[in-house]
Amino acid sequence: MTADVEMKEVQALSNSVSSAAVPSTLQHLKEIASLIETGAQAKEVRRIVRAVRLTMMLRRKLRASVISAFLGHVLTPGSEVLAKLSSYLPKPDEHEMDVDTAASAVQGPAKHSIPELEIYCYLLVLIFLIDQKRYDEAKVCSSASIARLRNVNRRAVDVIAARLYFYYSFTYELTNNLAEIRGTLLALHRMATLRRDELGQETLLNLLLRNYLHYNLYDQAEKLRSKAPRFEAHSNQQFCRYLFYLGKIRTIQLEYTDAKESLLQAARKAPVAARGFRIQCNKWAVIVRLLLGCADWRFGAI
């Protein structure tokens, strides 16, 4: 009997030690915040890229309690941005609190939050709202993030801003209000061009093309595409999207050869994990193949 009790105590102790050795989601977010601060100070965009990538890996573990504790850690207490972002979060339940949430309250929050961290906090809250399917609140949050971005002109923000542009359009698409933001996207594209934000230009151009094609406005999409400034692609994902939209435009314009080349290139360059995107490319490629009437162009070559 005594041996059984001792075994249970040893097992409970080992479990507690092993769980304490694994960093919590809040600790991971703090490390990401440090990475963003270092990248902003050293003007190293690759650190910001890594921070965004790590955030996407954590998105399934995000909870309201964790995000609330993180906001209190990195944002200035009593600031407007802290109050605004906290209003989008539901009140966390006690059972949702992480182990180190109480410890984070003891540590003093940042006295002055840098713009990169503020924009990142908008992104974090927005991702949480979308994953929780609270689309109306996500739409309001995304609009607030765009308003904040207009007043920030720092190259370290460009990577985070590109993600916010995408989710801004995505939330309006989810709520069937995509036409409402077309003028805003055009203004943001002009702003990105003036600021020489090439990643922002790529992202916003694709969002505008998607906006036009969503409503079958192919002539306006081609007019915008032809007048858009030329630059070297910085994101393979954005370049693949651009080729896909170009292939759709060329198909409607009866330029089947150019459409075929664009769709084939988009399918080849797309990441293996982007299965849905590759399927869409293949569907449009089949349409072009049928229109061309090329019997020797096999579907397996796509």
Side-chain angles (χ1 to χ4, degrees):
M1 192 72 180
T2 306
D4 293 339
V5 174
E6 290 178 352
M7 287 295 295
K8 291 181 180 179
E9 291 179 351
V10 172
Q11 185 177 4
L13 180 60
S14 62
N15 291 337
S16 62
V17 172
S18 60
S19 62
V22 178
S24 66
T25 305
L26 181 58
Q27 289 174 332
H28 282 302
L29 290 176
K30 290 179 181 179
E31 293 174 359
I32 292 174
S34 300
L35 193 63
I36 293 175
E37 287 182 336
T38 305
Q41 294 172 359
K43 297 182 179 179
E44 296 182 358
V45 180
R46 61 184 180 85
R47 294 180 182 270
I48 311 297
V49 174
R50 184 184 174 192
V52 173
R53 188 183 301 116
L54 291 173
T55 304
M56 296 301 123
M57 296 172 61
L58 286 175
R59 64 184 303 171
R60 292 186 178 181
K61 299 180 180 180
L62 295 178
R63 299 292 183 269
S65 59
V66 176
I67 298 177
S68 180
F70 176 73
L71 295 180
H73 175 73
V74 300
L75 297 178
T76 306
S79 62
E80 181 181 357
V81 62
L82 177 59
K84 181 179 296 185
L85 290 176
S86 299
S87 65
Y88 299 124
L89 299 174
K91 293 183 179 180
D93 297 330
E94 293 182 359
H95 67 277
E96 292 182 351
M97 300 297 287
D98 269 6
V99 176
D100 59 348
T101 302
S104 66
V106 178
Q107 300 175 356
K111 294 182 180 180
H112 301 285
S113 56
I114 60 176
E116 287 81 0
L117 275 179
E118 289 187 16
I119 301 301
Y120 174 76
C121 289
Y122 274 104
L123 176 63
L124 195 65
V125 174
L126 183 55
I127 290 173
F128 172 77
L129 293 175
I130 293 175
D131 290 344
Q132 295 295 315
K133 297 183 179 181
R134 300 169 58 183
Y135 300 136
D136 291 331
E137 295 175 78
K139 184 172 70 173
V140 177
C141 180
S142 65
S143 299
S145 68
I146 296 301
R148 180 68 181 94
L149 274 174
R150 291 178 183 272
N151 300 322
V152 179
N153 185 12
R154 295 160 69 106
R155 298 287 67 81
V157 179
D158 293 346
V159 177
I160 306 176
R163 289 289 181 137
L164 282 175
Y165 295 147
F166 170 78
Y167 287 119
Y168 172 63
S169 177
F170 186 53
T171 54
Y172 276 81
E173 183 175 353
L174 289 172
T175 54
N176 298 319
N177 295 312
L178 201 55
E180 296 181 9
I181 62 171
R182 193 175 301 152
T184 303
L185 292 177
L186 286 168
L188 291 172
H189 186 265
R190 287 193 295 267
M191 182 183 71
T193 304
L194 293 174
R195 294 178 175 180
R196 298 184 179 180
D197 175 12
E198 295 186 352
L199 180 58
Q201 292 179 59
E202 295 177 19
T203 304
L204 289 164
L205 177 59
N206 283 331
L207 292 176
L208 282 165
L209 292 177
R210 181 181 181 87
N211 197 305
Y212 284 123
L213 298 182
H214 182 78
Y215 296 99
N216 297 324
L217 302 174
Y218 289 90
D219 291 338
Q220 295 181 358
E222 171 59 19
K223 185 177 179 180
L224 170 69
R225 189 206 63 80
S226 61
K227 292 185 177 181
R230 303 291 179 179
F231 48 81
E232 183 181 355
H234 285 71
S235 171
N236 181 63
Q237 294 180 356
Q238 296 301 329
F239 185 53
C240 290
R241 290 191 180 101
Y242 174 79
L243 290 173
F244 174 63
Y245 297 142
L246 179 61
K248 293 178 69 174
I249 294 172
R250 290 291 182 258
T251 302
I252 299 301
Q253 292 178 335
L254 308 182
E255 300 178 9
Y256 300 134
T257 302
D258 293 341
K260 180 189 70 174
E261 294 299 327
S262 296
L263 292 169
L264 281 174
Q265 193 175 3
R268 288 169 182 166
K269 287 183 173 292
V272 179
R275 183 179 178 183
F277 177 80
R278 296 170 67 90
I279 290 175
Q280 289 297 320
C281 290
N282 291 340
K283 285 182 178 179
W284 276 84
V286 169
I287 295 175
V288 175
R289 183 188 63 172
L290 294 175
L291 294 173
L292 280 171
C294 297
D296 58 341
W297 188 41
R298 296 174 301 174
F299 179 72
I302 300 176

